[in-house]
Amino acid sequence: KAFSEYYLEEIVLPENSVAFGIDDFYDTRWYENQRGYAYIGNVLLGYKGNFTISVMDLPDRFTSIGRYAFRSMASVSEVRLPENLKAIGDFAFANCYNLKEITIPATVDEIGTGAFGFNITRDTDTGEVTDFKKVEDFVIKGYTNSIAESYADANGFEFVSIGYLKPESTLLGDIDCDQRLTIKDATALQKYVAGMVGLNTQDKINADFNLDGKVNVRDATAIQ
């Protein structure tokens, strides 16, 4: 819990923030006053209500979902994300045991660690994640060349394309799509080869810098 001052009643968060969730304000008056969806501005922090619901249709007014926001909502089997959603925080839907797939809007450009498709264990004192395991056969639906595709690629989830986004860059070697070829691209490629991050379709095309049909450390070296 980041804040535990009981008399805290009003909270202001940056637009599209995903750094906090409802748990961070557990011991406050603000928390006690929440009913249903708990939010601050356009940031959806969690849910305080009926934990037996199976379909969660999140209101379009929200553009970000905070960390741990809906963890352990075991009854939920379907989530409809807001059409204008931009960011999803770490482990936002962890331990949602009946949730087997998610469709991610094209507007999303940030997905936190383990946001979907993971079951986690948290420290009882600090609340921080001590272990997390991937949900087998979890399916990510989204747009080709989107952050959804990158998230699926990074975590080894099945990805089902529902459309195509125009690539931000088709410059050979431009992994971070900033229209330039720099050391950052070599670093990003090294992280991909090490299994630390994922790449979408266009990123993978850009990544084959030496045009040998493979994406590996030789491409990163060539970019350097």
Side-chain angles (χ1 to χ4, degrees), residues 73-200:
M73 293 193 66
S75 65
V76 173
S77 59
E78 182 180 356
V79 175
R80 299 167 185 165
L81 297 176
E83 287 299 318
N84 296 316
L85 189 66
K86 295 183 180 298
I88 306 167
D90 294 348
F91 305 108
F93 292 87
N95 297 358
C96 291
Y97 301 109
N98 286 307
L99 186 63
K100 303 301 182 183
E101 67 176 43
I102 192 75
T103 300
I104 301 178
T107 52
V108 174
D109 57 18
E110 179 183 352
I111 300 178
T113 301
F116 305 101
F118 286 90
N119 296 325
I120 66 174
T121 301
R122 299 176 73 189
D123 185 278
T124 54
D125 294 323
T126 66
E128 295 304 311
V129 174
T130 57
D131 185 42
F132 59 97
K133 296 181 180 179
K134 174 183 169 183
V135 175
E136 297 300 324
D137 301 321
F138 194 82
V139 177
I140 303 286
K141 295 183 178 180
Y143 290 81
T144 299
N145 288 331
S146 69
I147 191 68
E149 184 183 11
S150 298
Y151 178 84
D153 183 61
N155 293 290
F157 292 125
E158 179 184 352
F159 178 73
V160 176
S161 179
I162 58 174
Y164 181 83
L165 294 183
K166 183 179 179 180
E168 296 180 20
S169 173
T170 57
L171 175 64
L172 195 60
D174 184 16
I175 313 303
D176 62 4
C177 291
D178 66 351
Q179 306 292 340
R180 299 181 301 154
L181 196 60
T182 69
I183 194 64
K184 291 182 179 180
D185 297 299
T187 301
L189 186 48
Q190 288 169 339
K191 288 181 178 180
Y192 170 74
V193 173
M196 298 171 62
V197 298
L199 298 178
N200 62 39

Side-chain angles (χ1 to χ4, degrees), residues 37 44 46-47 50-51 53-59 65 69-71 73 75-82 92-93 96 99 102:
Y37 291 116
L44 181 55
Y47 181 77
N50 180 8
F51 269 64
I53 61 175
S54 59
V55 177
M56 182 176 287
D57 194 353
L58 302 181
I65 298 173
F70 300 105
R71 66 172 181 82
M73 293 193 66
S75 65
V76 173
S77 59
E78 182 180 356
V79 175
R80 299 167 185 165
L81 297 176
F93 292 87
C96 291
L99 186 63
I102 192 75

